[in-house]
Amino acid sequence: MTLTEPFLRDRLRTGTRAAQDALDRAQRRFSLKDPDGLRRFLAAQSDALSALRTCDDALAPALDAALALLAEDLDDLGHDAPPKTWPRPRTDDALARGYVWHSQRMALRMMARALPEGGSGQSYLTAPRDATEWRTLCAILEETPGYGAAGDVTLQAANDWLALFETICHDHARR
């Protein structure tokens, strides 16, 4: 029997579980059925994606489109405050950013099921996710060794980005 080293996708899936769960709990502090809760949730999303966008990598077109939808939704809900600037995480990595972006898109699609039909401010949450880009990223992650210096950096960066997103959610939930 030959044992193979886990690939990066496996390591990210298991190694970010606690951070993903913590972010999910933070996001669920907002009632998406309530206009104020939805407005604060979308403002948190705008801040988080604005922080991610400062990295200016291959995600830029997707992030720009998402930020434009968020701006429209927030305008529809009467939110006119500019995004708060957040520092980038201490560890950063392009694969980690892609993993966080795409995994969050999937998680948010699940949350969108709680939205009332026909309500305002729903464009961002109901926008289709880019399944082709997700599959491309997964193919890369399934060919990349999960352990070693590069895998360690990617895992740390993914957890750092998820922790930043969680912090931003808690900040907006307290407002």
Side-chain angles (χ1 to χ4, degrees):
M1 176 177 181
T2 303
L3 296 177
T4 60
E5 178 178 342
F7 291 104
L8 190 52
R9 184 175 182 202
D10 299 321
R11 187 160 184 221
L12 286 169
R13 184 182 302 123
T14 57
T16 62
R17 177 58 28 223
Q20 295 268 14
D21 289 347
L23 175 55
D24 183 55
R25 285 188 301 275
Q27 290 174 332
R28 293 194 184 281
R29 291 182 67 182
F30 303 94
S31 170
L32 302 186
K33 294 179 181 181
D34 172 61
D36 182 58
L38 179 59
R39 181 175 34 254
R40 289 183 298 127
F41 177 79
L42 294 176
Q45 289 295 304
S46 180
D47 281 2
L49 296 188
S50 293
L52 196 59
R53 178 62 180 90
T54 64
C55 297
D56 194 22
D57 64 354
L59 294 176
L63 292 170
D64 288 344
L67 287 165
L69 289 174
L70 280 163
E72 290 173 20
D73 287 346
L74 287 167
D75 187 52
D76 287 347
L77 294 168
H79 180 82
D80 60 358
K84 183 177 176 180
T85 302
W86 292 85
R88 288 170 52 164
R90 63 188 169 104
T91 308
D92 191 23
D93 176 80
L95 288 175
R97 290 189 304 269
Y99 185 79
V100 168
W101 162 249
H102 288 290
S103 63
Q104 276 301 288
R105 288 301 305 153
M106 287 189 287
L108 294 176
R109 292 290 293 173
M110 300 298 282
M111 290 183 73
R113 294 178 180 172
L115 293 170
E117 265 191 57
S120 296
Q122 298 183 7
S123 299
Y124 168 71
L125 287 170
T126 58
R129 62 184 182 82
D130 192 340
T132 302
E133 287 298 319
W134 170 244
R135 283 191 292 275
T136 299
L137 177 64
C138 286
I140 293 166
L141 296 174
E142 289 170 355
E143 294 172 356
T144 305
Y147 288 88
D152 293 347
V153 168
T154 302
L155 177 61
Q156 184 62 55
N159 278 313
D160 285 354
W161 276 106
L162 290 165
L164 177 62
F165 281 27
E166 177 191 1
T167 299
I168 292 169
C169 281
H170 286 305
D171 179 69
H172 280 274
R174 286 189 299 268
R175 293 183 189 188

